[in-house]
Amino acid sequence: DYSGTQMDLKFAAKDAEDMYQAIQVGGKNLFGVEKVKLKLLSTSGKEGAIQPTKENFKKVFEEFAREAKPNDILFVYLSEHGTTLNFGSDTYYYLTQNASTTNKETLSKDSQLLSSS
């Protein structure tokens, strides 16, 4: 659910929640309950979900970075719009919840985009 009404995706939140559930079940069966740490960033309003803003993505990645051990696995699933923009590189950008358009002149990579690099 992006800002505005121009580019909302109908099933992105459900897809993210379904993937979360699948990783939760499969990961806990494979690695054990105490070894699986999951964060769900979703606009659905599901209990425990975090809004998928750039600030919240940054907080979640920083938390994982602080707690990660050398043999840990980080799995990231993104169900959203993305775009390539010529901000001086060929980097692919994922639009966070704050975005309301894919228009390059309107987007601010500082507040609305996650970089693939």
Side-chain angles (χ1 to χ4, degrees), residues 1 41 46 51 64 74-75 78 101 103 107 110-111:
D1 184 22
L41 284 83
K46 181 176 179 161
Q51 292 296 307
F64 280 121
L74 175 64
F75 175 86
L78 298 171
T101 181
N103 181 292
L107 286 171
D110 292 331
S111 65

Side-chain angles (χ1 to χ4, degrees), residues 59 61-69:
K59 287 178 186 177
F61 283 128
E62 286 172 348
E63 180 182 335
F64 280 121
R66 278 192 310 275
E67 298 176 6
K69 296 183 179 43

Side-chain angles (χ1 to χ4, degrees), residues 1-9 12 43 52 79-82 94-102 112-113:
D1 184 22
Y2 292 99
S3 295
T5 58
Q6 291 183 359
M7 53 179 215
D8 290 337
L9 297 171
T43 58
S79 180
E80 58 188 89
H81 284 298
Y94 299 92
L95 280 62
T96 63
Q97 179 186 11
N98 315 78
S100 61
T101 181
T102 57
Q112 302 169 351
L113 303 174

Side-chain angles (χ1 to χ4, degrees), residues 73-94:
I73 298 168
L74 175 64
F75 175 86
V76 178
Y77 174 81
L78 298 171
S79 180
E80 58 188 89
H81 284 298
T83 188
T84 54
L85 301 172
N86 190 8
F87 286 126
S89 71
D90 292 331
T91 303
Y92 189 79
Y93 293 91
Y94 299 92

